[in-house]
Amino acid sequence: MGAKPGEVFVHRNIANVVNTLDMSSTAVIQYAVEHLKVKHIIVCGHYNCGGVKAAMTPQDLGLLNPWLRNIRDVYRLHQTELDSIEDESKRYDRLVELNVQEQCINVIKMACVQERYILEEQPIVHGWVFDLRTGKIIDLEIDFEKTLKDIQKIYNLTGSDWVMSRKTK
C-alpha cells in the first residue's frame, strides 16, 4: 500500500464480515469515520480464505454458525453464478470477491458513512482482494457513489436525497 506506520487504521475479523450487530466492527468504522476522518475505507478479503471455506462446509460449526451465515447469505444471493462455476477453487475465489462486494455495501449502508459523505464527499469505500498466490492486490473497482445512489431509497439513514440530486446539478 505504500503507507507508513500509523497511516492505516485496521480492523480484522473472520472473512471480513461487516455485520451491524457486531459492535466491534461498527464501533471501529464509526470511530474511523467520525474521529479519525479517514478518506478511504477498504474491505480487503483474500483468496483461500478459511472463513469462506468454512461457510461452504455443510456441518455444524457451533458459535461460528451465525457469523458464517452472513457469507452463506452472499452465496444465496449469487447462487446461480456460483453454481455455474465447476472448478471448486475458482468458485471459492469468486465467493471471496462477492463477499467483499457485499461487505462494502454493508459499510455504505452505515449512517456515519452516509452522513460524512454528504458533508465532505468522503470516505470512499473500496473492495480489494489479496491474492496470496501472487502477492498482488486486486481492486474490485466498487463504484461507491453509484452503489450509494442505488441503495439510498432503502438504506438512506440521513433523510437526504443529496447523492441522487447531486448528479442532476
Side-chain angles (χ1 to χ4, degrees):
M1 291 176 52
K4 295 176 185 169
E7 290 184 340
V8 178
F9 187 64
V10 177
H11 174 73
R12 294 182 63 172
N13 65 27
I14 299 169
N16 52 271
V17 169
V18 179
N19 181 329
T20 56
L21 298 177
D22 172 25
M23 294 301 293
S24 178
S25 66
T26 55
V28 165
I29 293 168
Q30 184 169 350
Y31 178 75
V33 169
E34 293 179 359
H35 299 284
L36 298 179
K37 303 293 186 189
V38 298
K39 296 178 182 176
H40 302 276
I41 298 173
I42 299 165
V43 177
C44 186
H46 64 89
Y47 293 135
N48 202 29
C49 175
V52 171
K53 286 191 177 190
M56 299 321 305
T57 304
Q59 65 182 4
D60 182 357
L61 297 170
L63 288 174
L64 285 175
N65 288 334
W67 190 261
L68 298 177
R69 182 176 39 224
N70 293 288
I71 301 162
R72 291 176 177 142
D73 287 343
V74 173
Y75 197 111
R76 178 182 48 80
L77 290 170
H78 302 277
Q79 185 172 357
T80 303
E81 175 188 350
L82 291 166
D83 286 349
S84 71
I85 302 171
E86 293 183 24
D87 182 290
E88 185 177 26
S89 66
K90 289 182 180 173
R91 186 178 325 117
Y92 284 132
D93 283 354
R94 183 61 181 143
L95 182 54
V96 166
E97 295 168 354
L98 292 168
N99 184 52
V100 167
Q101 290 175 2
E102 291 297 326
Q103 302 317 313
C104 286
I105 291 170
N106 287 342
V107 173
I108 294 168
K109 290 176 191 175
M110 295 179 67
C112 64
V113 172
Q114 292 182 30
E115 288 167 356
R116 180 142 170 260
Y117 187 77
I118 287 169
L119 296 173
E120 301 174 30
E121 295 187 31
Q122 50 189 355
I124 305 295
V125 178
H126 307 273
W128 291 359
V129 175
F130 180 62
D131 188 337
L132 297 168
R133 299 167 291 229
T134 66
K136 297 201 185 277
I137 293 176
I138 295 118
D139 184 346
L140 298 178
E141 300 183 19
I142 304 296
D143 186 337
F144 172 82
E145 199 165 273
K146 179 184 181 315
T147 302
L148 179 56
K149 182 181 174 187
D150 289 348
I151 67 170
Q152 194 175 34
K153 180 178 179 183
I154 299 167
Y155 298 103
N156 181 359
L157 304 179
T158 66
S160 170
D161 63 352
W162 181 84
V163 173
M164 284 194 263
S165 65
R166 185 171 152 231
K167 284 296 188 188
T168 60
K169 291 181 179 178

